[in-house]
mmCIF file of all heavy atoms in Angstrom:
data_model
loop_
_atom_site.group_PDB
_atom_site.id
_atom_site.type_symbol
_atom_site.label_atom_id
_atom_site.label_comp_id
_atom_site.label_asym_id
_atom_site.label_seq_id
_atom_site.Cartn_x
_atom_site.Cartn_y
_atom_site.Cartn_z
ATOM 1 N N ALA A 13 0.818 -1.179 0.007
ATOM 2 C CA ALA A 13 -0.023 -0.027 -0.005
ATOM 3 C C ALA A 13 0.853 1.238 0.038
ATOM 4 O O ALA A 13 0.609 2.238 -0.757
ATOM 5 C CB ALA A 13 -0.890 -0.009 1.198
ATOM 6 N N VAL A 14 1.910 1.264 0.730
ATOM 7 C CA VAL A 14 2.794 2.405 0.888
ATOM 8 C C VAL A 14 3.622 2.558 -0.489
ATOM 9 O O VAL A 14 3.821 3.647 -0.945
ATOM 10 C CB VAL A 14 3.716 2.272 2.031
ATOM 11 C CG1 VAL A 14 4.823 3.424 2.038
ATOM 12 C CG2 VAL A 14 2.959 2.366 3.322
ATOM 13 N N ALA A 15 3.973 1.430 -1.041
ATOM 14 C CA ALA A 15 4.831 1.501 -2.334
ATOM 15 C C ALA A 15 4.106 2.318 -3.373
ATOM 16 O O ALA A 15 4.668 2.958 -4.125
ATOM 17 C CB ALA A 15 5.181 0.138 -2.734
ATOM 18 N N ARG A 16 2.725 2.093 -3.413
ATOM 19 C CA ARG A 16 2.005 2.831 -4.474
ATOM 20 C C ARG A 16 2.039 4.367 -4.329
ATOM 21 O O ARG A 16 1.756 5.053 -5.391
ATOM 22 C CB ARG A 16 0.554 2.360 -4.451
ATOM 23 C CG ARG A 16 0.341 0.868 -4.829
ATOM 24 C CD ARG A 16 -1.184 0.600 -4.957
ATOM 25 N NE ARG A 16 -1.938 0.616 -3.648
ATOM 26 C CZ ARG A 16 -2.071 -0.492 -2.960
ATOM 27 N NH1 ARG A 16 -1.500 -1.650 -3.279
ATOM 28 N NH2 ARG A 16 -2.755 -0.434 -1.875
ATOM 29 N N LEU A 17 2.448 4.871 -3.217
ATOM 30 C CA LEU A 17 2.581 6.267 -3.000
ATOM 31 C C LEU A 17 3.982 6.797 -3.089
ATOM 32 O O LEU A 17 4.180 7.993 -2.930
ATOM 33 C CB LEU A 17 2.074 6.585 -1.492
ATOM 34 C CG LEU A 17 0.650 6.100 -1.158
ATOM 35 C CD1 LEU A 17 0.338 6.312 0.253
ATOM 36 C CD2 LEU A 17 -0.366 6.833 -2.106
ATOM 37 N N CYS A 18 4.869 5.984 -3.501
ATOM 38 C CA CYS A 18 6.308 6.301 -3.535
ATOM 39 C C CYS A 18 6.874 6.615 -4.920
ATOM 40 O O CYS A 18 8.096 6.846 -5.060
ATOM 41 C CB CYS A 18 7.199 5.269 -2.819
ATOM 42 S SG CYS A 18 6.738 5.141 -1.058
ATOM 43 N N VAL A 19 6.129 6.416 -5.988
ATOM 44 C CA VAL A 19 6.591 6.608 -7.318
ATOM 45 C C VAL A 19 7.208 7.975 -7.504
ATOM 46 O O VAL A 19 6.491 9.009 -7.266
ATOM 47 C CB VAL A 19 5.515 6.345 -8.361
ATOM 48 C CG1 VAL A 19 6.061 6.500 -9.740
ATOM 49 C CG2 VAL A 19 4.901 4.963 -8.115
ATOM 50 N N GLY A 20 8.422 8.092 -7.835
ATOM 51 C CA GLY A 20 9.136 9.319 -8.139
ATOM 52 C C GLY A 20 9.421 10.179 -6.918
ATOM 53 O O GLY A 20 9.835 11.305 -6.931
ATOM 54 N N LYS A 21 9.235 9.528 -5.682
ATOM 55 C CA LYS A 21 9.392 10.234 -4.398
ATOM 56 C C LYS A 21 10.721 10.019 -3.679
ATOM 57 O O LYS A 21 11.354 8.971 -3.938
ATOM 58 C CB LYS A 21 8.259 9.922 -3.449
ATOM 59 C CG LYS A 21 6.855 10.071 -4.009
ATOM 60 C CD LYS A 21 6.574 11.516 -4.305
ATOM 61 C CE LYS A 21 5.111 11.727 -4.765
ATOM 62 N NZ LYS A 21 4.751 13.147 -5.068
ATOM 63 N N ARG A 22 11.116 10.947 -2.811
ATOM 64 C CA ARG A 22 12.263 10.733 -1.910
ATOM 65 C C ARG A 22 11.719 10.111 -0.622
ATOM 66 O O ARG A 22 10.857 10.626 -0.029
ATOM 67 C CB ARG A 22 12.903 12.057 -1.557
ATOM 68 C CG ARG A 22 13.442 12.902 -2.755
ATOM 69 C CD ARG A 22 13.736 14.276 -2.404
ATOM 70 N NE ARG A 22 12.484 15.008 -2.049
ATOM 71 C CZ ARG A 22 12.429 16.262 -1.597
ATOM 72 N NH1 ARG A 22 13.545 16.962 -1.325
ATOM 73 N NH2 ARG A 22 11.303 16.774 -1.320
ATOM 74 N N VAL A 23 12.279 8.887 -0.324
ATOM 75 C CA VAL A 23 11.666 8.064 0.805
ATOM 76 C C VAL A 23 12.709 7.788 1.848
ATOM 77 O O VAL A 23 13.901 7.540 1.608
ATOM 78 C CB VAL A 23 11.137 6.664 0.184
ATOM 79 C CG1 VAL A 23 10.612 5.883 1.293
ATOM 80 C CG2 VAL A 23 10.103 6.961 -0.884
ATOM 81 N N LEU A 24 12.225 7.941 3.156
ATOM 82 C CA LEU A 24 13.011 7.607 4.331
ATOM 83 C C LEU A 24 12.368 6.449 4.959
ATOM 84 O O LEU A 24 11.157 6.537 5.369
ATOM 85 C CB LEU A 24 13.159 8.822 5.264
ATOM 86 C CG LEU A 24 13.777 8.524 6.636
ATOM 87 C CD1 LEU A 24 15.239 8.041 6.482
ATOM 88 C CD2 LEU A 24 13.635 9.668 7.576
ATOM 89 N N ASP A 25 13.066 5.345 5.169
ATOM 90 C CA ASP A 25 12.545 4.169 5.780
ATOM 91 C C ASP A 25 13.271 3.993 7.148
ATOM 92 O O ASP A 25 14.394 3.586 7.198
ATOM 93 C CB ASP A 25 12.676 2.944 4.964
ATOM 94 C CG ASP A 25 12.137 1.672 5.557
ATOM 95 O OD1 ASP A 25 11.472 1.730 6.613
ATOM 96 O OD2 ASP A 25 12.445 0.563 5.073
ATOM 97 N N ALA A 26 12.657 4.347 8.265
ATOM 98 C CA ALA A 26 13.319 4.258 9.570
ATOM 99 C C ALA A 26 12.948 2.964 10.236
ATOM 100 O O ALA A 26 11.766 2.518 10.226
ATOM 101 C CB ALA A 26 12.822 5.478 10.472
ATOM 102 N N PHE A 27 13.949 2.298 10.822
ATOM 103 C CA PHE A 27 13.900 1.001 11.397
ATOM 104 C C PHE A 27 13.548 0.019 10.219
ATOM 105 O O PHE A 27 12.615 -0.743 10.275
ATOM 106 C CB PHE A 27 12.765 0.875 12.493
ATOM 107 C CG PHE A 27 13.018 1.883 13.599
ATOM 108 C CD1 PHE A 27 12.224 3.062 13.575
ATOM 109 C CD2 PHE A 27 13.763 1.594 14.651
ATOM 110 C CE1 PHE A 27 12.351 3.961 14.609
ATOM 111 C CE2 PHE A 27 13.968 2.579 15.697
ATOM 112 C CZ PHE A 27 13.220 3.769 15.655
ATOM 113 N N CYS A 28 14.425 -0.055 9.241
ATOM 114 C CA CYS A 28 14.105 -0.765 8.052
ATOM 115 C C CYS A 28 14.276 -2.284 8.146
ATOM 116 O O CYS A 28 13.801 -3.018 7.333
ATOM 117 C CB CYS A 28 15.009 -0.247 6.927
ATOM 118 S SG CYS A 28 16.733 -0.686 7.051
ATOM 119 N N TYR A 29 14.954 -2.766 9.182
ATOM 120 C CA TYR A 29 15.239 -4.180 9.354
ATOM 121 C C TYR A 29 15.891 -4.760 8.056
ATOM 122 O O TYR A 29 16.904 -4.265 7.563
ATOM 123 C CB TYR A 29 14.014 -4.995 9.862
ATOM 124 C CG TYR A 29 14.326 -6.456 10.133
ATOM 125 C CD1 TYR A 29 15.409 -6.779 10.898
ATOM 126 C CD2 TYR A 29 13.453 -7.407 9.628
ATOM 127 C CE1 TYR A 29 15.661 -8.105 11.183
ATOM 128 C CE2 TYR A 29 13.697 -8.849 9.950
ATOM 129 C CZ TYR A 29 14.773 -9.066 10.710
ATOM 130 O OH TYR A 29 15.036 -10.419 10.946
ATOM 131 N N SER A 30 15.325 -5.698 7.453
ATOM 132 C CA SER A 30 15.931 -6.332 6.321
ATOM 133 C C SER A 30 15.549 -5.741 4.943
ATOM 134 O O SER A 30 15.689 -6.346 3.867
ATOM 135 C CB SER A 30 15.629 -7.846 6.240
ATOM 136 O OG SER A 30 14.243 -8.147 6.208
ATOM 137 N N GLY A 31 14.917 -4.552 4.977
ATOM 138 C CA GLY A 31 14.677 -3.776 3.727
ATOM 139 C C GLY A 31 13.156 -3.417 3.662
ATOM 140 O O GLY A 31 12.895 -2.201 3.317
ATOM 141 N N GLY A 32 12.186 -4.311 3.843
ATOM 142 C CA GLY A 32 10.823 -3.980 3.929
ATOM 143 C C GLY A 32 10.313 -2.864 3.134
ATOM 144 O O GLY A 32 10.268 -2.877 1.918
ATOM 145 N N PHE A 33 9.798 -1.833 3.846
ATOM 146 C CA PHE A 33 9.200 -0.717 3.157
ATOM 147 C C PHE A 33 10.110 -0.064 2.176
ATOM 148 O O PHE A 33 9.700 0.404 1.039
ATOM 149 C CB PHE A 33 8.724 0.333 4.207
ATOM 150 C CG PHE A 33 7.476 -0.067 4.918
ATOM 151 C CD1 PHE A 33 7.591 -0.603 6.191
ATOM 152 C CD2 PHE A 33 6.225 0.160 4.358
ATOM 153 C CE1 PHE A 33 6.448 -0.986 6.892
ATOM 154 C CE2 PHE A 33 5.045 -0.245 5.109
ATOM 155 C CZ PHE A 33 5.184 -0.769 6.299
ATOM 156 N N GLY A 34 11.408 0.134 2.470
ATOM 157 C CA GLY A 34 12.289 0.712 1.625
ATOM 158 C C GLY A 34 12.488 0.050 0.282
ATOM 159 O O GLY A 34 12.573 0.733 -0.771
ATOM 160 N N LEU A 35 12.639 -1.258 0.365
ATOM 161 C CA LEU A 35 12.794 -2.057 -0.904
ATOM 162 C C LEU A 35 11.558 -1.957 -1.824
ATOM 163 O O LEU A 35 11.677 -1.892 -2.933
ATOM 164 C CB LEU A 35 13.135 -3.461 -0.514
ATOM 165 C CG LEU A 35 14.534 -3.639 0.085
ATOM 166 C CD1 LEU A 35 14.697 -5.104 0.588
ATOM 167 C CD2 LEU A 35 15.694 -3.328 -0.865
ATOM 168 N N TYR A 36 10.440 -2.034 -1.106
ATOM 169 C CA TYR A 36 9.083 -1.948 -1.951
ATOM 170 C C TYR A 36 9.099 -0.558 -2.609
ATOM 171 O O TYR A 36 8.669 -0.474 -3.707
ATOM 172 C CB TYR A 36 7.920 -2.062 -0.922
ATOM 173 C CG TYR A 36 7.357 -3.447 -0.871
ATOM 174 C CD1 TYR A 36 8.099 -4.485 -0.215
ATOM 175 C CD2 TYR A 36 6.118 -3.739 -1.435
ATOM 176 C CE1 TYR A 36 7.502 -5.739 -0.094
ATOM 177 C CE2 TYR A 36 5.612 -5.041 -1.331
ATOM 178 C CZ TYR A 36 6.244 -6.007 -0.620
ATOM 179 O OH TYR A 36 5.722 -7.285 -0.550
#
């Protein structure tokens, strides 16, 4: 759900663990 809002955006993923939100 979050990935759909990240197209062309600058993204900060805090507490990323093994990649999760940031990789998406």
